[in-house]
Amino acid sequence: MQIQINSNNSIETGEPFERWATAELNASFSRYKDDITRIEVHMSDENGEKVSPDHTRCMMEARLANREPVAVNHHGANQDEAFRGASDKLKRVLEHTLGKLRDHRARESIRREPDLDNA
């Protein structure tokens, strides 16, 4: 699972943030490591120089093996809040998306071979 962290010109993520974010994502999504090929994180400051609540935005996209990618957004007062909110949302989306897939695989098919002993 690859992790890619991006930011626009209005926000500075820096190497310490990238190391921390990579460690957090690896720990949080380790159970999906066989299903996720890459997670992309995009951090941005929506208001630039203006001060307002929830001005930091984090968009996370998980690229899944053999499936369409899923993406979430979260706005927060700072990078940490925006990142954690987006991570929590992405975890819920993946639990729902991949959980349905795993549940479907575990069920028996309604199409069964007819019982040849009773024929």
Side-chain angles (χ1 to χ4, degrees):
M1 175 172 71
Q2 294 178 327
I3 296 174
Q4 182 177 351
I5 312 241
N6 301 305
S7 64
N8 65 6
N9 296 346
S10 63
I11 195 166
E12 180 63 38
T13 53
E15 189 177 330
F17 177 81
E18 290 180 19
R19 277 196 313 268
W20 171 81
T22 299
E24 286 288 316
L25 292 174
N26 278 322
S28 294
F29 297 99
S30 63
R31 68 185 277 201
Y32 303 115
K33 68 179 185 263
D34 294 333
D35 298 307
I36 298 173
T37 58
R38 181 173 68 210
I39 295 178
E40 291 186 29
V41 179
H42 300 276
M43 300 294 298
S44 61
D45 187 340
E46 300 268 299
N47 295 335
E49 296 292 319
K50 296 183 233 169
V51 176
S52 65
D54 298 339
H55 61 92
T56 304
R57 176 178 171 255
C58 180
M59 192 279 289
M60 284 190 191
E61 179 180 42
R63 303 283 179 129
L64 304 174
N66 303 318
R67 297 191 53 84
E68 291 293 316
V70 294
V72 297
N73 287 297
H74 190 80
H75 289 81
N78 54 44
Q79 286 184 20
D80 182 56
E81 188 178 306
F83 178 86
R84 290 180 190 275
S87 178
D88 290 343
K89 284 182 180 180
L90 185 60
K91 196 178 303 180
R92 285 193 302 272
V93 168
L94 288 173
E95 285 172 357
H96 178 75
T97 303
L98 298 175
K100 282 182 16 180
L101 182 63
R102 286 189 178 107
D103 187 40
H104 177 70
R105 288 180 188 161
R107 292 185 188 169
E108 289 185 29
S109 173
I110 61 171
R111 294 179 178 94
R112 298 184 189 150
E113 292 284 326
D115 191 4
L116 298 178
D117 293 335
N118 294 330

